[in-house]
Amino acid sequence: MKKILLLLSSLFFLSTQFAAAESKQVLDMQVKETVQKFIAKVPGAREFLNKTEGYLVIPNLYKAGFVVGGEYGEGALLIKEHGTSAPTPRFHIAEYYSVVSASIGWQIGAQKRSLIIAFLTPSSLESFRQSNKWKVGVDGSVAFVDVGASMDLSTVDFKKSIVAFAFGNEGLMAGLSLDGSVFTKIQK
């Protein structure tokens, strides 16, 4: 049992090191592809994202666990450009972030998924950007949306100012939650 736990932990941390080693150019490309997949997969996604103040895109969020688990990913925060006369809003990469979490309890397996966290108000975006280490459930409450459900995002009225979407799951780990996840600004 200890050997299996050690092996899974080693594989997880090894995979996070490869994720961390990705260059700025590769990460920028992955962010763009992830947004395109989200728009293609979810009805109303483009209209929804255009209504936001900004959104954080984590193209590859790795999670592994065997009783003790961990999660790691890196991504970019895209913010709306104000003051442009374009008919649709433009977004640009403002900063890069990592996300880390740990868990203990009944869990076994590994998975990779993509994550988009949308900030619907200027104050929620500013709070996220000003925080040194932003922790879900402490520094901000996030509504988690299952994109497997057939809904048109452009017609949904979200009650929270921060909304998260996980999609493209590959693997056998259930139980989607961001509670306790810590987001930290990184240099790329």
Side-chain angles (χ1 to χ4, degrees):
M1 176 83 133
K2 286 183 181 180
K3 288 181 183 181
I4 293 172
L5 180 60
L6 181 61
L7 177 64
L8 284 175
S9 297
S10 297
L11 288 174
F12 172 73
F13 288 111
L14 201 57
S15 70
T16 62
Q17 293 305 312
F18 289 120
E22 290 176 350
S23 71
K24 177 181 176 188
Q25 292 79 15
V26 170
L27 185 57
D28 288 354
M29 182 184 67
Q30 290 174 340
V31 165
K32 183 178 180 180
E33 289 172 356
T34 301
V35 172
Q36 290 171 345
K37 286 178 190 174
F38 181 67
I39 289 170
K41 184 175 182 171
V42 181
R46 181 184 311 275
E47 294 82 2
F48 171 77
L49 290 176
N50 285 341
K51 293 178 189 175
T52 70
E53 290 298 314
Y55 48 93
L56 177 66
V57 180
I58 309 287
N60 300 304
L61 184 59
Y62 299 97
K63 184 174 187 175
F66 185 76
V67 182
V68 175
E71 193 167 44
Y72 182 82
E74 290 183 355
L77 176 66
L78 290 87
I79 60 171
K80 186 181 283 183
E81 295 178 6
H82 292 283
T84 65
S85 59
T88 58
R90 291 185 175 179
F91 292 82
H92 70 276
I93 293 176
E95 298 154 348
Y96 295 92
Y97 288 83
S98 67
V99 58
V100 177
S101 70
S103 57
I104 189 164
W106 177 245
Q107 56 190 326
I108 186 168
Q111 75 177 180
K112 180 182 87 165
R113 61 185 177 195
S114 298
L115 181 69
I116 293 181
I117 300 176
F119 299 91
L120 306 182
T121 64
S123 62
S124 65
L125 177 62
E126 191 61 25
S127 173
F128 179 78
R129 293 185 75 193
Q130 295 302 318
S131 179
N132 186 29
K133 290 183 184 271
W134 192 81
K135 187 173 182 180
V136 176
V138 174
D139 298 312
S141 181
V142 178
F144 213 108
V145 178
D146 177 11
V147 296
S150 58
M151 68 170 83
D152 185 333
L153 289 184
S154 65
T155 64
V156 177
D157 181 24
F158 294 101
K159 304 297 181 207
K160 295 196 177 181
S161 61
I162 306 171
V163 182
F165 305 88
F167 59 99
N169 288 348
E170 298 171 18
L172 301 173
M173 182 174 285
L176 300 176
S177 174
L178 288 175
D179 286 347
S181 296
V182 177
F183 293 83
T184 305
K185 203 177 297 186
I186 59 173
Q187 296 297 315
K188 279 286 182 181

